[in-house]
Amino acid sequence: MAVNFSQSGTELAELNDINVTPFIDVILVLLIIFMVAAPLATVDVAVDLPASNAQPHPRPDKPVYLTVKPDLSLSVGDESVSRASLAAALDAAAHGQKDSRIFLRADKAVPYGEVMRVMNGLRAAGYLKVALVGLEQSTAP
């Protein structure tokens, strides 16, 4: 409660204005606390992974490649397929063998969510062995 002393007279009038100074002080303290605590809450684990000297598995004679193009269209081998006919195209390419490995390739421009949708489509079609294909980089000194 605040009182205005500048009025002349015997009766003092109350001011009904809100004093925001304590409120601003509390907000600034909370801001500083969150600015200090936010970097501590992030998890950044530095791990130096060992190099693998395992021999890569030989590819099958006729691998089944499923490709996600930059325009998000799909192709099995060299044939373009729609998402609705993906299961039938995979059955034809894998000769109905659900345990065969499907090699999934995706362009760099394809969002991660789209790759996951394609993998969910593979799982729904019954193909659980999926190999992600990437470029091998030489580590020559």
Side-chain angles (χ1 to χ4, degrees):
M1 178 167 69
V3 178
N4 189 0
F5 291 110
S6 66
Q7 289 183 344
S8 61
T10 59
E11 195 171 315
L12 298 175
E14 290 184 9
L15 290 177
N16 292 327
D17 295 334
I18 297 174
N19 188 2
V20 295
T21 304
F23 177 71
I24 292 174
D25 290 341
V26 169
I27 295 298
L28 288 175
V29 168
L30 287 174
L31 178 67
I32 291 170
I33 290 172
F34 284 122
M35 287 174 59
V36 169
L40 299 176
T42 60
V43 177
D44 188 19
V45 179
V47 177
D48 188 16
L49 296 174
S52 174
N53 57 4
Q55 295 296 323
H57 290 287
R59 289 187 181 168
D61 293 335
K62 291 189 176 186
V64 179
Y65 286 105
L66 173 62
T67 306
V68 184
K69 298 177 186 174
D71 61 352
L72 304 183
S73 63
L74 301 176
S75 65
V76 175
D78 294 330
E79 296 181 24
S80 294
V81 296
S82 66
R83 292 185 190 263
S85 63
L86 178 62
L90 287 173
D91 288 339
H95 306 295
Q97 296 177 351
K98 300 282 185 180
D99 62 341
S100 61
R101 187 173 308 277
I102 306 297
F103 291 91
L104 179 60
R105 300 185 290 190
D107 193 85
K108 282 184 185 179
V110 175
Y112 180 71
E114 285 298 320
V115 175
M116 289 307 298
R117 283 189 198 100
V118 171
M119 289 180 72
N120 287 336
L122 287 170
R123 185 178 58 205
Y127 293 95
L128 302 178
K129 292 184 177 182
V130 178
L132 300 176
V133 178
L135 294 177
E136 293 181 10
Q137 295 181 352
S138 63
T139 57

Coordinates of all heavy atoms in Angstrom, one line a residue, residues 57-106:
H57 N 30.6 -57.6 -44.4 CA 30.0 -58.7 -44.9 C 29.9 -58.7 -46.4 O 29.6 -57.6 -47.0 CB 28.6 -58.8 -44.3 CG 28.6 -59.2 -42.9 ND1 28.9 -60.4 -42.4 CD2 28.3 -58.4 -41.8 CE1 28.8 -60.4 -41.1 NE2 28.5 -59.2 -40.7
P58 N 30.0 -59.8 -47.1 CA 29.9 -59.8 -48.6 C 28.4 -59.5 -48.9 O 27.5 -60.0 -48.2 CB 30.3 -61.2 -49.0 CG 30.2 -62.0 -47.8 CD 30.4 -61.1 -46.6
R59 N 28.2 -58.8 -50.0 CA 26.9 -58.5 -50.5 C 26.3 -59.7 -51.1 O 27.0 -60.5 -51.7 CB 26.9 -57.3 -51.4 CG 27.2 -56.0 -50.8 CD 27.0 -54.9 -51.7 NE 27.3 -53.6 -51.1 CZ 27.5 -52.5 -51.7 NH1 27.4 -52.4 -53.0 NH2 27.7 -51.4 -51.1
P60 N 25.0 -59.8 -51.1 CA 24.4 -60.9 -51.8 C 24.6 -60.7 -53.4 O 24.9 -59.6 -53.8 CB 22.9 -60.8 -51.5 CG 22.8 -59.7 -50.6 CD 24.1 -59.1 -50.3
D61 N 24.3 -61.8 -54.1 CA 24.5 -61.7 -55.6 C 23.6 -60.6 -56.2 O 24.1 -59.9 -57.0 CB 24.2 -63.1 -56.2 CG 25.2 -64.1 -55.8 OD1 26.4 -63.7 -55.4 OD2 24.9 -65.3 -55.8
K62 N 22.4 -60.6 -55.8 CA 21.4 -59.6 -56.3 C 20.8 -58.9 -55.1 O 19.7 -59.3 -54.6 CB 20.4 -60.2 -57.2 CG 20.9 -60.8 -58.5 CD 19.8 -61.2 -59.4 CE 20.3 -61.6 -60.7 NZ 19.3 -61.9 -61.7
P63 N 21.4 -57.9 -54.5 CA 20.8 -57.2 -53.4 C 19.6 -56.4 -53.8 O 19.4 -55.9 -55.0 CB 21.9 -56.2 -52.9 CG 22.8 -56.0 -54.1 CD 22.7 -57.3 -54.9
V64 N 18.7 -56.2 -52.9 CA 17.4 -55.5 -53.1 C 17.7 -54.1 -52.5 O 17.8 -53.9 -51.3 CB 16.2 -56.1 -52.4 CG1 15.0 -55.3 -52.7 CG2 16.0 -57.5 -52.9
Y65 N 17.7 -53.1 -53.4 CA 18.0 -51.7 -53.0 C 16.6 -51.0 -53.0 O 15.9 -51.0 -54.0 CB 18.9 -51.0 -53.9 CG 20.4 -51.4 -53.7 CD1 21.0 -52.2 -54.7 CD2 21.1 -50.9 -52.7 CE1 22.3 -52.6 -54.5 CE2 22.4 -51.3 -52.5 CZ 23.0 -52.1 -53.4 OH 24.3 -52.5 -53.2
L66 N 16.3 -50.3 -51.9 CA 15.2 -49.4 -51.9 C 15.8 -48.0 -51.7 O 16.5 -47.7 -50.8 CB 14.3 -49.7 -50.6 CG 13.2 -48.7 -50.4 CD1 12.2 -48.7 -51.5 CD2 12.4 -49.1 -49.1
T67 N 15.4 -47.1 -52.6 CA 16.0 -45.8 -52.7 C 15.0 -44.7 -52.5 O 13.9 -44.8 -53.0 CB 16.7 -45.5 -54.1 OG1 17.6 -46.6 -54.3 CG2 17.4 -44.2 -54.1
V68 N 15.3 -43.7 -51.6 CA 14.5 -42.6 -51.4 C 15.1 -41.4 -52.1 O 16.2 -41.0 -51.7 CB 14.3 -42.3 -49.9 CG1 13.3 -41.1 -49.7 CG2 13.8 -43.5 -49.1
K69 N 14.5 -40.9 -53.1 CA 15.1 -39.9 -53.9 C 14.9 -38.5 -53.3 O 14.1 -38.4 -52.4 CB 14.5 -39.9 -55.3 CG 14.7 -41.2 -56.1 CD 14.0 -41.2 -57.4 CE 14.2 -42.6 -58.0 NZ 13.4 -42.7 -59.3
P70 N 15.6 -37.5 -53.7 CA 15.4 -36.1 -53.1 C 14.0 -35.6 -53.2 O 13.6 -34.8 -52.4 CB 16.4 -35.2 -53.9 CG 17.4 -36.2 -54.5 CD 16.7 -37.5 -54.7
D71 N 13.2 -36.0 -54.2 CA 11.8 -35.5 -54.3 C 10.9 -36.4 -53.5 O 9.7 -36.4 -53.7 CB 11.4 -35.5 -55.8 CG 11.5 -36.8 -56.5 OD1 12.0 -37.8 -55.9 OD2 11.0 -36.9 -57.6
L72 N 11.4 -37.3 -52.6 CA 10.7 -38.2 -51.7 C 10.0 -39.3 -52.4 O 9.2 -40.0 -51.9 CB 9.8 -37.5 -50.8 CG 10.4 -36.3 -50.0 CD1 9.3 -35.7 -49.1 CD2 11.5 -36.8 -49.2
S73 N 10.3 -39.6 -53.7 CA 9.8 -40.7 -54.4 C 10.6 -41.9 -54.1 O 11.8 -41.8 -53.7 CB 9.7 -40.5 -55.9 OG 11.0 -40.3 -56.4
L74 N 10.0 -43.1 -54.2 CA 10.7 -44.4 -53.9 C 11.0 -45.2 -55.2 O 10.3 -45.1 -56.2 CB 9.8 -45.2 -53.0 CG 9.4 -44.6 -51.7 CD1 8.5 -45.5 -50.9 CD2 10.7 -44.3 -50.8
S75 N 12.1 -46.0 -55.1 CA 12.3 -46.9 -56.2 C 12.9 -48.1 -55.6 O 13.8 -48.1 -54.7 CB 13.3 -46.3 -57.3 OG 14.5 -46.0 -56.7
V76 N 12.5 -49.3 -56.1 CA 13.0 -50.6 -55.8 C 13.9 -51.0 -56.9 O 13.3 -51.3 -58.0 CB 11.9 -51.6 -55.4 CG1 12.5 -53.0 -55.2 CG2 11.1 -51.1 -54.2
G77 N 15.2 -51.1 -56.7 CA 16.1 -51.4 -57.8 C 16.1 -50.2 -58.7 O 16.4 -49.1 -58.3
D78 N 15.7 -50.4 -60.0 CA 15.6 -49.3 -60.9 C 14.2 -48.8 -61.2 O 14.0 -47.9 -62.0 CB 16.3 -49.7 -62.3 CG 17.8 -49.9 -62.1 OD1 18.4 -49.2 -61.2 OD2 18.4 -50.7 -62.8
E79 N 13.2 -49.5 -60.6 CA 11.8 -49.2 -60.9 C 11.3 -48.2 -59.9 O 11.4 -48.5 -58.7 CB 11.0 -50.5 -60.9 CG 11.4 -51.4 -62.0 CD 10.5 -52.7 -62.0 OE1 9.4 -52.6 -61.5 OE2 11.0 -53.7 -62.5
S80 N 10.6 -47.2 -60.3 CA 9.9 -46.3 -59.4 C 8.6 -47.0 -58.9 O 7.9 -47.6 -59.7 CB 9.6 -45.0 -60.1 OG 10.7 -44.3 -60.4
V81 N 8.4 -46.8 -57.6 CA 7.1 -47.4 -57.0 C 6.5 -46.4 -56.1 O 7.1 -45.4 -55.6 CB 7.5 -48.7 -56.2 CG1 8.0 -49.8 -57.0 CG2 8.4 -48.4 -55.0
S82 N 5.2 -46.5 -55.9 CA 4.5 -45.6 -55.0 C 4.5 -46.2 -53.6 O 4.9 -47.4 -53.4 CB 3.0 -45.5 -55.5 OG 2.4 -46.7 -55.4
R83 N 4.2 -45.4 -52.6 CA 4.2 -46.0 -51.3 C 3.2 -47.0 -51.1 O 3.3 -47.9 -50.2 CB 4.0 -44.8 -50.3 CG 5.2 -43.9 -50.3 CD 5.1 -42.8 -49.2 NE 6.1 -41.8 -49.4 CZ 7.3 -41.8 -48.7 NH1 7.5 -42.7 -47.8 NH2 8.1 -40.8 -48.9
A84 N 2.1 -46.9 -51.8 CA 1.0 -47.9 -51.6 C 1.4 -49.3 -52.2 O 1.0 -50.3 -51.6 CB -0.3 -47.4 -52.3
S85 N 2.2 -49.3 -53.2 CA 2.6 -50.6 -53.8 C 4.0 -51.0 -53.4 O 4.6 -51.8 -54.0 CB 2.5 -50.4 -55.3 OG 3.5 -49.5 -55.8
L86 N 4.5 -50.4 -52.3 CA 5.9 -50.7 -51.9 C 6.0 -52.2 -51.4 O 7.0 -52.9 -51.8 CB 6.3 -49.8 -50.7 CG 7.7 -50.1 -50.1 CD1 8.8 -49.9 -51.1 CD2 7.9 -49.2 -48.9
A87 N 5.0 -52.7 -50.7 CA 5.1 -54.1 -50.2 C 5.1 -55.1 -51.4 O 5.9 -56.0 -51.4 CB 3.9 -54.4 -49.3
A88 N 4.2 -54.8 -52.4 CA 4.2 -55.8 -53.5 C 5.5 -55.7 -54.3 O 6.0 -56.8 -54.8 CB 3.0 -55.4 -54.4
A89 N 6.1 -54.5 -54.5 CA 7.3 -54.4 -55.2 C 8.4 -55.1 -54.5 O 9.3 -55.7 -55.1 CB 7.6 -52.9 -55.5
L90 N 8.5 -55.0 -53.2 CA 9.5 -55.7 -52.4 C 9.3 -57.2 -52.4 O 10.3 -57.9 -52.5 CB 9.5 -55.2 -50.9 CG 10.0 -53.8 -50.7 CD1 9.8 -53.3 -49.3 CD2 11.5 -53.7 -51.1
D91 N 8.1 -57.6 -52.4 CA 7.9 -59.1 -52.5 C 8.3 -59.6 -53.8 O 8.9 -60.7 -53.9 CB 6.4 -59.4 -52.3 CG 5.9 -59.2 -50.9 OD1 6.8 -59.2 -50.0 OD2 4.7 -59.0 -50.7
A92 N 8.1 -58.8 -54.9 CA 8.6 -59.3 -56.2 C 10.1 -59.3 -56.3 O 10.7 -60.2 -56.9 CB 8.0 -58.4 -57.3
A93 N 10.7 -58.2 -55.8 CA 12.2 -58.1 -55.8 C 12.9 -59.2 -55.0 O 13.9 -59.7 -55.3 CB 12.6 -56.7 -55.5
A94 N 12.3 -59.4 -53.8 CA 12.9 -60.4 -52.9 C 12.4 -61.8 -53.0 O 12.7 -62.7 -52.2 CB 12.7 -59.9 -51.4
H95 N 11.6 -62.0 -54.0 CA 11.0 -63.4 -54.3 C 10.2 -63.9 -53.2 O 10.2 -65.1 -52.9 CB 12.1 -64.4 -54.8 CG 12.9 -63.9 -55.9 ND1 12.4 -63.6 -57.2 CD2 14.2 -63.5 -55.9 CE1 13.4 -63.2 -57.9 NE2 14.5 -63.1 -57.2
G96 N 9.6 -63.0 -52.4 CA 8.7 -63.4 -51.3 C 9.4 -63.8 -50.1 O 8.8 -64.3 -49.1
Q97 N 10.7 -63.7 -50.0 CA 11.5 -64.0 -48.8 C 11.5 -62.8 -47.9 O 12.3 -61.9 -48.1 CB 12.9 -64.5 -49.2 CG 12.9 -65.7 -50.0 CD 14.3 -66.1 -50.4 OE1 15.3 -65.3 -50.2 NE2 14.5 -67.3 -51.0
K98 N 10.8 -62.9 -46.8 CA 10.7 -61.8 -45.9 C 11.9 -61.6 -45.0 O 12.2 -60.6 -44.4 CB 9.5 -62.0 -44.9 CG 8.1 -62.0 -45.6 CD 7.7 -60.6 -46.0 CE 6.3 -60.7 -46.6 NZ 5.8 -59.5 -47.0
D99 N 12.8 -62.7 -45.0 CA 14.0 -62.6 -44.2 C 15.2 -62.1 -45.0 O 16.3 -62.0 -44.4 CB 14.3 -63.9 -43.5 CG 14.6 -65.0 -44.5 OD1 14.2 -64.8 -45.7 OD2 15.2 -66.0 -44.2
S100 N 15.0 -61.7 -46.2 CA 16.1 -61.1 -47.0 C 16.4 -59.7 -46.6 O 15.5 -59.0 -46.1 CB 15.8 -61.2 -48.5 OG 14.7 -60.4 -48.8
R101 N 17.6 -59.3 -46.7 CA 18.0 -58.0 -46.3 C 17.7 -57.0 -47.4 O 18.0 -57.2 -48.5 CB 19.5 -58.0 -46.0 CG 20.0 -56.7 -45.4 CD 21.5 -56.7 -45.0 NE 21.8 -57.9 -44.1 CZ 21.6 -57.9 -42.8 NH1 21.1 -56.9 -42.2 NH2 21.9 -59.0 -42.1
I102 N 17.1 -55.8 -46.9 CA 16.8 -54.7 -47.8 C 17.8 -53.6 -47.6 O 18.0 -53.2 -46.4 CB 15.3 -54.2 -47.5 CG1 14.3 -55.3 -47.6 CG2 15.0 -53.1 -48.5 CD1 14.2 -56.0 -49.0
F103 N 18.5 -53.2 -48.6 CA 19.4 -52.1 -48.5 C 18.7 -50.8 -48.8 O 18.3 -50.5 -49.9 CB 20.6 -52.3 -49.5 CG 21.4 -53.5 -49.2 CD1 21.1 -54.8 -49.7 CD2 22.5 -53.4 -48.4 CE1 21.9 -55.9 -49.4 CE2 23.3 -54.5 -48.0 CZ 23.0 -55.7 -48.5
L104 N 18.7 -49.9 -47.8 CA 18.0 -48.7 -47.9 C 19.0 -47.5 -48.1 O 19.9 -47.3 -47.4 CB 17.2 -48.4 -46.6 CG 16.4 -47.1 -46.5 CD1 15.4 -47.0 -47.6 CD2 15.8 -46.9 -45.1
R105 N 18.7 -46.8 -49.2 CA 19.6 -45.7 -49.6 C 18.7 -44.4 -49.6 O 17.5 -44.5 -50.0 CB 20.2 -45.8 -51.0 CG 21.0 -47.0 -51.2 CD 21.7 -47.0 -52.5 NE 20.7 -47.3 -53.6 CZ 21.0 -47.5 -54.8 NH1 22.3 -47.5 -55.2 NH2 20.1 -47.8 -55.7
A106 N 19.2 -43.3 -49.1 CA 18.4 -42.1 -49.1 C 19.4 -40.9 -49.4 O 20.6 -40.9 -49.0 CB 17.8 -41.8 -47.8

